[in-house]
Every structure is written in C-alpha cells, then in structure tokens.
C-alpha cells in the first residue's frame, strides 16, 4: 500500500509539474519581432523620389495639333442644276455591246431596241412529243 501511495503521490506531483510547465510555455509566449519588415518599412517611409526636370517630357511626347475642320461643300444654284439636267437629258447614251446571231450577245451595230422588242415578243413553244 505504501508503494501505491508513493506511486499516486509521485504521479500527482508529475502531473501538476507538467501542467505548470504547459501553462508556463503557453502563457509566456514571447512575441518575436520581424526585423526585416521593420527595416523595410523604415526605409520605405524615408524614401524621397528624385525631382523631375520641367522639360523631362520633351522628346517623349509629341505636340498635339488639332486637325483642320472640314470645309462645307458648295451647293450649286437651281439654275446650275437645271442646266446640268438638261445637258444630261440631251446627251446620247453610250452604245452597249450588240447581240450576235451566234451566241446571243450584243455586238456593235445592232440596235438595242430591236433586241428588247424581240425579247418581249411572245415565242411559240412546240409541245414535245414523247
């Protein structure tokens, strides 16, 4: 029994000692500082950008010149328009290629109006005998 009492006492002492060690480790955490981050932030705050010259942009940027506004078109008068229309109406139309007897195309010298009359005329279609 004595040995069991001693064992129980030793066990409780060991358990209480381990609890105090655990508590001491968990409650006394030392916050370590990040020295690299501190140095970086200090240097970043102390940085001053070099001053730029007032004419530093010369040669890098072209000067802007606004384009010329378009000119308004000249509107002909009604007399000019009527003379142009009369000239157009009196002009002879260009001759189109004439129809040949062989291929159905127009050749020079053949009348276009005759071709149109022939095309508009009724054609007799013979019934096919089977």
């Amino acid at each position: 029994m004595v040995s069991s009492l001693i064992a129980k006492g030793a066990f409780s002492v060991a358990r209480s000692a381990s609890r105090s060690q655990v508590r001491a480790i968990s409650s006394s955490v030392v916050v370590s500082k990040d020295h690299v981050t501190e140095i970086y932030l200090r240097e970043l705050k102390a940085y001053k950008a070099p001053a730029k010259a007032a004419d530093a942009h010369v040669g890098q940027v072209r000067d802007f010149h606004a384009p010329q506004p378009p000119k308004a078109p000249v509107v002909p008068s009604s007399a000019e328009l009527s003379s142009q229309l009369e000239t157009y109406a009196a002009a002879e139309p260009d001759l189109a290629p004439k129809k040949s007897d062989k291929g159905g195309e127009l050749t020079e010298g053949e009348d276009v109006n005759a071709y149109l009359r022939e095309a508009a005329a009724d054609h007799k279609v013979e019934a096919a005998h089977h």
Side-chain angles (χ1 to χ4, degrees), residues 61-85:
V61 180
R62 289 188 281 165
D63 293 333
F64 175 75
H65 300 290
Q68 296 294 328
K71 295 179 182 177
V74 178
V75 179
S77 66
S78 61
E80 291 175 356
L81 285 176
S82 63
S83 68
Q84 288 176 2
L85 286 174

PDB file of all heavy atoms in Angstrom, residues 61-85:
ATOM      1  N   VAL A  61       7.029  62.889 -75.829  1.00  0.00           N
ATOM      2  CA  VAL A  61       5.634  63.113 -76.185  1.00  0.00           C
ATOM      3  C   VAL A  61       5.589  64.096 -77.346  1.00  0.00           C
ATOM      4  O   VAL A  61       6.316  65.086 -77.363  1.00  0.00           O
ATOM      5  CB  VAL A  61       4.854  63.707 -74.978  1.00  0.00           C
ATOM      6  CG1 VAL A  61       3.407  63.940 -75.328  1.00  0.00           C
ATOM      7  CG2 VAL A  61       4.967  62.783 -73.783  1.00  0.00           C
ATOM      8  N   ARG A  62       4.738  63.789 -78.337  1.00  0.00           N
ATOM      9  CA  ARG A  62       4.584  64.708 -79.470  1.00  0.00           C
ATOM     10  C   ARG A  62       3.577  65.802 -79.125  1.00  0.00           C
ATOM     11  O   ARG A  62       2.651  65.580 -78.338  1.00  0.00           O
ATOM     12  CB  ARG A  62       4.087  63.947 -80.706  1.00  0.00           C
ATOM     13  CG  ARG A  62       5.160  63.037 -81.279  1.00  0.00           C
ATOM     14  CD  ARG A  62       4.701  62.461 -82.579  1.00  0.00           C
ATOM     15  NE  ARG A  62       3.796  61.359 -82.278  1.00  0.00           N
ATOM     16  CZ  ARG A  62       2.982  60.798 -83.144  1.00  0.00           C
ATOM     17  NH1 ARG A  62       2.919  61.235 -84.375  1.00  0.00           N
ATOM     18  NH2 ARG A  62       2.210  59.808 -82.797  1.00  0.00           N
ATOM     19  N   ASP A  63       3.768  66.964 -79.748  1.00  0.00           N
ATOM     20  CA  ASP A  63       2.826  68.067 -79.553  1.00  0.00           C
ATOM     21  C   ASP A  63       1.527  67.760 -80.273  1.00  0.00           C
ATOM     22  O   ASP A  63       1.527  67.182 -81.367  1.00  0.00           O
ATOM     23  CB  ASP A  63       3.414  69.368 -80.099  1.00  0.00           C
ATOM     24  CG  ASP A  63       4.624  69.820 -79.287  1.00  0.00           C
ATOM     25  OD1 ASP A  63       4.685  69.474 -78.098  1.00  0.00           O
ATOM     26  OD2 ASP A  63       5.485  70.517 -79.860  1.00  0.00           O
ATOM     27  N   PHE A  64       0.414  68.152 -79.685  1.00  0.00           N
ATOM     28  CA  PHE A  64      -0.896  67.920 -80.285  1.00  0.00           C
ATOM     29  C   PHE A  64      -1.277  69.122 -81.128  1.00  0.00           C
ATOM     30  O   PHE A  64      -1.226  70.263 -80.681  1.00  0.00           O
ATOM     31  CB  PHE A  64      -1.958  67.698 -79.201  1.00  0.00           C
ATOM     32  CG  PHE A  64      -3.345  67.582 -79.751  1.00  0.00           C
ATOM     33  CD1 PHE A  64      -3.748  66.438 -80.400  1.00  0.00           C
ATOM     34  CD2 PHE A  64      -4.249  68.625 -79.637  1.00  0.00           C
ATOM     35  CE1 PHE A  64      -5.022  66.320 -80.916  1.00  0.00           C
ATOM     36  CE2 PHE A  64      -5.517  68.529 -80.142  1.00  0.00           C
ATOM     37  CZ  PHE A  64      -5.919  67.369 -80.793  1.00  0.00           C
ATOM     38  N   HIS A  65      -1.669  68.845 -82.371  1.00  0.00           N
ATOM     39  CA  HIS A  65      -2.181  69.866 -83.269  1.00  0.00           C
ATOM     40  C   HIS A  65      -3.548  69.406 -83.741  1.00  0.00           C
ATOM     41  O   HIS A  65      -3.670  68.341 -84.344  1.00  0.00           O
ATOM     42  CB  HIS A  65      -1.250  70.057 -84.476  1.00  0.00           C
ATOM     43  CG  HIS A  65       0.140  70.480 -84.078  1.00  0.00           C
ATOM     44  ND1 HIS A  65       0.423  71.715 -83.580  1.00  0.00           N
ATOM     45  CD2 HIS A  65       1.319  69.805 -84.079  1.00  0.00           C
ATOM     46  CE1 HIS A  65       1.717  71.802 -83.310  1.00  0.00           C
ATOM     47  NE2 HIS A  65       2.281  70.656 -83.593  1.00  0.00           N
ATOM     48  N   ALA A  66      -4.564  70.189 -83.465  1.00  0.00           N
ATOM     49  CA  ALA A  66      -5.927  69.817 -83.858  1.00  0.00           C
ATOM     50  C   ALA A  66      -6.037  69.829 -85.380  1.00  0.00           C
ATOM     51  O   ALA A  66      -5.484  70.705 -86.043  1.00  0.00           O
ATOM     52  CB  ALA A  66      -6.928  70.794 -83.254  1.00  0.00           C
ATOM     53  N   PRO A  67      -6.738  68.854 -85.968  1.00  0.00           N
ATOM     54  CA  PRO A  67      -6.888  68.838 -87.425  1.00  0.00           C
ATOM     55  C   PRO A  67      -7.767  70.000 -87.889  1.00  0.00           C
ATOM     56  O   PRO A  67      -8.574  70.530 -87.127  1.00  0.00           O
ATOM     57  CB  PRO A  67      -7.561  67.496 -87.700  1.00  0.00           C
ATOM     58  CG  PRO A  67      -8.220  67.132 -86.431  1.00  0.00           C
ATOM     59  CD  PRO A  67      -7.394  67.731 -85.332  1.00  0.00           C
ATOM     60  N   GLN A  68      -7.571  70.364 -89.149  1.00  0.00           N
ATOM     61  CA  GLN A  68      -8.374  71.441 -89.718  1.00  0.00           C
ATOM     62  C   GLN A  68      -9.820  70.988 -89.844  1.00  0.00           C
ATOM     63  O   GLN A  68     -10.078  69.852 -90.245  1.00  0.00           O
ATOM     64  CB  GLN A  68      -7.839  71.822 -91.106  1.00  0.00           C
ATOM     65  CG  GLN A  68      -6.436  72.400 -91.080  1.00  0.00           C
ATOM     66  CD  GLN A  68      -6.391  73.741 -90.372  1.00  0.00           C
ATOM     67  OE1 GLN A  68      -7.340  74.505 -90.413  1.00  0.00           O
ATOM     68  NE2 GLN A  68      -5.279  74.012 -89.689  1.00  0.00           N
ATOM     69  N   PRO A  69     -10.764  71.847 -89.512  1.00  0.00           N
ATOM     70  CA  PRO A  69     -12.171  71.445 -89.672  1.00  0.00           C
ATOM     71  C   PRO A  69     -12.508  71.309 -91.154  1.00  0.00           C
ATOM     72  O   PRO A  69     -11.961  72.027 -91.989  1.00  0.00           O
ATOM     73  CB  PRO A  69     -12.952  72.586 -89.024  1.00  0.00           C
ATOM     74  CG  PRO A  69     -12.015  73.746 -89.006  1.00  0.00           C
ATOM     75  CD  PRO A  69     -10.627  73.186 -88.955  1.00  0.00           C
ATOM     76  N   PRO A  70     -13.398  70.382 -91.506  1.00  0.00           N
ATOM     77  CA  PRO A  70     -13.735  70.195 -92.918  1.00  0.00           C
ATOM     78  C   PRO A  70     -14.488  71.408 -93.454  1.00  0.00           C
ATOM     79  O   PRO A  70     -15.214  72.086 -92.729  1.00  0.00           O
ATOM     80  CB  PRO A  70     -14.620  68.947 -92.917  1.00  0.00           C
ATOM     81  CG  PRO A  70     -15.153  68.859 -91.537  1.00  0.00           C
ATOM     82  CD  PRO A  70     -14.114  69.463 -90.636  1.00  0.00           C
ATOM     83  N   LYS A  71     -14.291  71.638 -94.750  1.00  0.00           N
ATOM     84  CA  LYS A  71     -14.975  72.762 -95.383  1.00  0.00           C
ATOM     85  C   LYS A  71     -16.349  72.312 -95.838  1.00  0.00           C
ATOM     86  O   LYS A  71     -16.542  71.165 -96.254  1.00  0.00           O
ATOM     87  CB  LYS A  71     -14.172  73.261 -96.575  1.00  0.00           C
ATOM     88  CG  LYS A  71     -12.833  73.837 -96.168  1.00  0.00           C
ATOM     89  CD  LYS A  71     -12.054  74.300 -97.366  1.00  0.00           C
ATOM     90  CE  LYS A  71     -10.699  74.835 -96.927  1.00  0.00           C
ATOM     91  NZ  LYS A  71      -9.884  75.241 -98.073  1.00  0.00           N
ATOM     92  N   ALA A  72     -17.297  73.215 -95.780  1.00  0.00           N
ATOM     93  CA  ALA A  72     -18.662  72.903 -96.207  1.00  0.00           C
ATOM     94  C   ALA A  72     -18.684  72.757 -97.726  1.00  0.00           C
ATOM     95  O   ALA A  72     -18.023  73.514 -98.443  1.00  0.00           O
ATOM     96  CB  ALA A  72     -19.617  74.008 -95.772  1.00  0.00           C
ATOM     97  N   PRO A  73     -19.420  71.760 -98.246  1.00  0.00           N
ATOM     98  CA  PRO A  73     -19.470  71.601 -99.696  1.00  0.00           C
ATOM     99  C   PRO A  73     -20.223  72.759-100.349  1.00  0.00           C
ATOM    100  O   PRO A  73     -21.105  73.370 -99.749  1.00  0.00           O
ATOM    101  CB  PRO A  73     -20.226  70.279 -99.884  1.00  0.00           C
ATOM    102  CG  PRO A  73     -20.994  70.106 -98.638  1.00  0.00           C
ATOM    103  CD  PRO A  73     -20.196  70.767 -97.546  1.00  0.00           C
ATOM    104  N   VAL A  74     -19.856  73.034-101.585  1.00  0.00           N
ATOM    105  CA  VAL A  74     -20.501  74.109-102.322  1.00  0.00           C
ATOM    106  C   VAL A  74     -21.789  73.562-102.926  1.00  0.00           C
ATOM    107  O   VAL A  74     -21.779  72.549-103.629  1.00  0.00           O
ATOM    108  CB  VAL A  74     -19.572  74.638-103.432  1.00  0.00           C
ATOM    109  CG1 VAL A  74     -20.253  75.728-104.236  1.00  0.00           C
ATOM    110  CG2 VAL A  74     -18.280  75.144-102.820  1.00  0.00           C
ATOM    111  N   VAL A  75     -22.898  74.201-102.646  1.00  0.00           N
ATOM    112  CA  VAL A  75     -24.194  73.766-103.159  1.00  0.00           C
ATOM    113  C   VAL A  75     -24.485  74.563-104.430  1.00  0.00           C
ATOM    114  O   VAL A  75     -24.518  75.792-104.393  1.00  0.00           O
ATOM    115  CB  VAL A  75     -25.301  73.990-102.108  1.00  0.00           C
ATOM    116  CG1 VAL A  75     -26.651  73.566-102.656  1.00  0.00           C
ATOM    117  CG2 VAL A  75     -24.974  73.257-100.838  1.00  0.00           C
ATOM    118  N   PRO A  76     -24.689  73.866-105.573  1.00  0.00           N
ATOM    119  CA  PRO A  76     -24.967  74.604-106.806  1.00  0.00           C
ATOM    120  C   PRO A  76     -26.348  75.251-106.749  1.00  0.00           C
ATOM    121  O   PRO A  76     -27.261  74.765-106.086  1.00  0.00           O
ATOM    122  CB  PRO A  76     -24.884  73.540-107.897  1.00  0.00           C
ATOM    123  CG  PRO A  76     -25.079  72.258-107.202  1.00  0.00           C
ATOM    124  CD  PRO A  76     -24.609  72.437-105.792  1.00  0.00           C
ATOM    125  N   SER A  77     -26.475  76.343-107.489  1.00  0.00           N
ATOM    126  CA  SER A  77     -27.765  77.035-107.513  1.00  0.00           C
ATOM    127  C   SER A  77     -28.754  76.245-108.364  1.00  0.00           C
ATOM    128  O   SER A  77     -28.394  75.320-109.095  1.00  0.00           O
ATOM    129  CB  SER A  77     -27.595  78.449-108.077  1.00  0.00           C
ATOM    130  OG  SER A  77     -27.210  78.371-109.440  1.00  0.00           O
ATOM    131  N   SER A  78     -30.021  76.619-108.283  1.00  0.00           N
ATOM    132  CA  SER A  78     -31.046  75.905-109.043  1.00  0.00           C
ATOM    133  C   SER A  78     -30.846  76.083-110.546  1.00  0.00           C
ATOM    134  O   SER A  78     -31.131  75.178-111.331  1.00  0.00           O
ATOM    135  CB  SER A  78     -32.440  76.366-108.623  1.00  0.00           C
ATOM    136  OG  SER A  78     -32.579  77.760-108.880  1.00  0.00           O
ATOM    137  N   ALA A  79     -30.329  77.212-110.990  1.00  0.00           N
ATOM    138  CA  ALA A  79     -30.062  77.427-112.418  1.00  0.00           C
ATOM    139  C   ALA A  79     -28.969  76.483-112.900  1.00  0.00           C
ATOM    140  O   ALA A  79     -29.067  75.891-113.993  1.00  0.00           O
ATOM    141  CB  ALA A  79     -29.670  78.877-112.661  1.00  0.00           C
ATOM    142  N   GLU A  80     -27.927  76.313-112.095  1.00  0.00           N
ATOM    143  CA  GLU A  80     -26.848  75.390-112.471  1.00  0.00           C
ATOM    144  C   GLU A  80     -27.364  73.956-112.519  1.00  0.00           C
ATOM    145  O   GLU A  80     -27.003  73.179-113.407  1.00  0.00           O
ATOM    146  CB  GLU A  80     -25.692  75.507-111.486  1.00  0.00           C
ATOM    147  CG  GLU A  80     -24.939  76.811-111.562  1.00  0.00           C
ATOM    148  CD  GLU A  80     -23.878  76.919-110.486  1.00  0.00           C
ATOM    149  OE1 GLU A  80     -23.786  76.011-109.627  1.00  0.00           O
ATOM    150  OE2 GLU A  80     -23.150  77.919-110.479  1.00  0.00           O
ATOM    151  N   LEU A  81     -28.178  73.580-111.541  1.00  0.00           N
ATOM    152  CA  LEU A  81     -28.732  72.220-111.528  1.00  0.00           C
ATOM    153  C   LEU A  81     -29.604  71.961-112.752  1.00  0.00           C
ATOM    154  O   LEU A  81     -29.509  70.894-113.373  1.00  0.00           O
ATOM    155  CB  LEU A  81     -29.545  71.989-110.249  1.00  0.00           C
ATOM    156  CG  LEU A  81     -28.755  71.771-108.971  1.00  0.00           C
ATOM    157  CD1 LEU A  81     -29.695  71.656-107.780  1.00  0.00           C
ATOM    158  CD2 LEU A  81     -27.898  70.539-109.074  1.00  0.00           C
ATOM    159  N   SER A  82     -30.447  72.925-113.101  1.00  0.00           N
ATOM    160  CA  SER A  82     -31.325  72.714-114.255  1.00  0.00           C
ATOM    161  C   SER A  82     -30.519  72.624-115.539  1.00  0.00           C
ATOM    162  O   SER A  82     -30.829  71.810-116.421  1.00  0.00           O
ATOM    163  CB  SER A  82     -32.375  73.825-114.345  1.00  0.00           C
ATOM    164  OG  SER A  82     -31.740  75.071-114.555  1.00  0.00           O
ATOM    165  N   SER A  83     -29.455  73.402-115.679  1.00  0.00           N
ATOM    166  CA  SER A  83     -28.629  73.311-116.888  1.00  0.00           C
ATOM    167  C   SER A  83     -27.898  71.972-116.948  1.00  0.00           C
ATOM    168  O   SER A  83     -27.754  71.371-118.018  1.00  0.00           O
ATOM    169  CB  SER A  83     -27.639  74.468-116.950  1.00  0.00           C
ATOM    170  OG  SER A  83     -26.680  74.346-115.926  1.00  0.00           O
ATOM    171  N   GLN A  84     -27.444  71.455-115.815  1.00  0.00           N
ATOM    172  CA  GLN A  84     -26.787  70.152-115.791  1.00  0.00           C
ATOM    173  C   GLN A  84     -27.770  69.044-116.155  1.00  0.00           C
ATOM    174  O   GLN A  84     -27.429  68.102-116.877  1.00  0.00           O
ATOM    175  CB  GLN A  84     -26.174  69.885-114.418  1.00  0.00           C
ATOM    176  CG  GLN A  84     -24.951  70.723-114.117  1.00  0.00           C
ATOM    177  CD  GLN A  84     -24.442  70.495-112.704  1.00  0.00           C
ATOM    178  OE1 GLN A  84     -24.971  69.683-111.951  1.00  0.00           O
ATOM    179  NE2 GLN A  84     -23.390  71.228-112.349  1.00  0.00           N
ATOM    180  N   LEU A  85     -29.020  69.125-115.678  1.00  0.00           N
ATOM    181  CA  LEU A  85     -30.025  68.118-116.013  1.00  0.00           C
ATOM    182  C   LEU A  85     -30.380  68.161-117.497  1.00  0.00           C
ATOM    183  O   LEU A  85     -30.573  67.120-118.137  1.00  0.00           O
ATOM    184  CB  LEU A  85     -31.278  68.314-115.153  1.00  0.00           C
ATOM    185  CG  LEU A  85     -31.145  67.886-113.691  1.00  0.00           C
ATOM    186  CD1 LEU A  85     -32.401  68.272-112.919  1.00  0.00           C
ATOM    187  CD2 LEU A  85     -30.902  66.398-113.592  1.00  0.00           C
TER     188      LEU A  85
END
